[in-house]
Amino acid sequence: QQQVKQSPQSLIVQKGGIPIINCAYENTAFDYFPWYQQFPGKGPALLIAIRPDVSEKKEGRFTISFNKSAKQFSLHIMDSQPGDSATYFCAASMGDNYGQNFVFGPGTRLSVLP
Amino acid sequence: EADIYQTPRYLVIGTGKKITLECSQTMGHDKMYWYQQDPGMELHLIHYSYGVNSTEKGDLSSESTVSRIRTEHFPLTLESARPSHTSQYLCASSAPGQGVRGYTFGSGTRLTVV
């Protein structure tokens, strides 16, 4: 019940395309859902996050869609660029993250072709 | 720019050697973590700490040990390195706070045991 499932494992799109990465969870106590972006040779960095009281959040070209009833959330990258090529992790936590560790999905390797 | 530093960035060492991977953060965060990252991307929590003199084992069993004598410092030690320890090790920290919650990751140490 603590797992976060993520798909696809890898994704290749052309520049300008809209890659979509999907995540699903079981534990309804989760109340915070961040996405992390990791470039080769670097640690993951917080990209965007959402709470379950909203269905969508946009930050620049990145959008999270959240479906509370289905216990699913997804990351959309508008007008994708080769510089977006990275590994993306979804995560979930409950309560104050000080007390609870994040649960990470297994990651999606995105390649955006020029 | 992340204020969490890991050294060394790369390490190649022989089997049986004792090694310590260093992690320091300048943000005053109480909670710190060590993750092991597979070549296939997935993040596995191996140790975490709530603060000074606190250490806990994570979800993935590990032969490594950690210590937390100072808030800013969270080193990971392998008493006798083996080829199966070859991996990327990521350190992270977090603090209770308002608004966006998340981990700050270091750039990682890539360990190769030959």
Side-chain angles (χ1 to χ4, degrees), chain A residues 32 36 38 41 93 95 101-102, chain B residues 9 30-31 37 96 99 101 103:
Chain A
Y32 186 71
Y36 283 80
Q38 184 180 25
S93 72
N101 298 326
F102 280 15
Chain B
R9 287 296 311 277
D30 287 325
K31 202 166 180 186
Q37 185 170 33
R101 306 198 309 243
Y103 292 2

Side-chain angles (χ1 to χ4, degrees), chain A residues 9 31-32 34 36 38 41-46 49 51 57 87 89 93-109, chain B residues 9-10 30-31 33 35 37 39-43 45 48 50-51 59 88 90 94-108:
Chain A
Q9 186 175 28
D31 67 350
Y32 186 71
Y36 283 80
Q38 184 180 25
K42 299 288 188 182
L46 181 64
R51 299 180 188 277
K57 183 172 182 180
T87 299
F89 295 93
S93 72
M94 66 184 89
D96 180 338
N97 83 312
Y98 191 69
Q100 300 291 334
N101 298 326
F102 280 15
V103 178
F104 285 93
T108 295
R109 185 169 281 130
Chain B
R9 287 296 311 277
Y10 303 94
D30 287 325
K31 202 166 180 186
Y33 315 80
Y35 283 83
Q37 185 170 33
M41 305 178 298
E42 195 159 352
L43 296 164
L45 180 66
Y48 61 100
Y50 288 106
D59 306 319
Q88 163 128 295
L90 289 163
S94 68
Q98 303 74 36
V100 174
R101 306 198 309 243
Y103 292 2
T104 301
F105 282 90
S107 293

Side-chain angles (χ1 to χ4, degrees), chain A residues 75-101:
Chain A
L75 178 70
H76 303 232
I77 305 175
M78 305 301 176
D79 186 28
S80 59
Q81 301 296 314
D84 297 328
S85 297
T87 299
Y88 292 83
F89 295 93
C90 61
S93 72
M94 66 184 89
D96 180 338
N97 83 312
Y98 191 69
Q100 300 291 334
N101 298 326

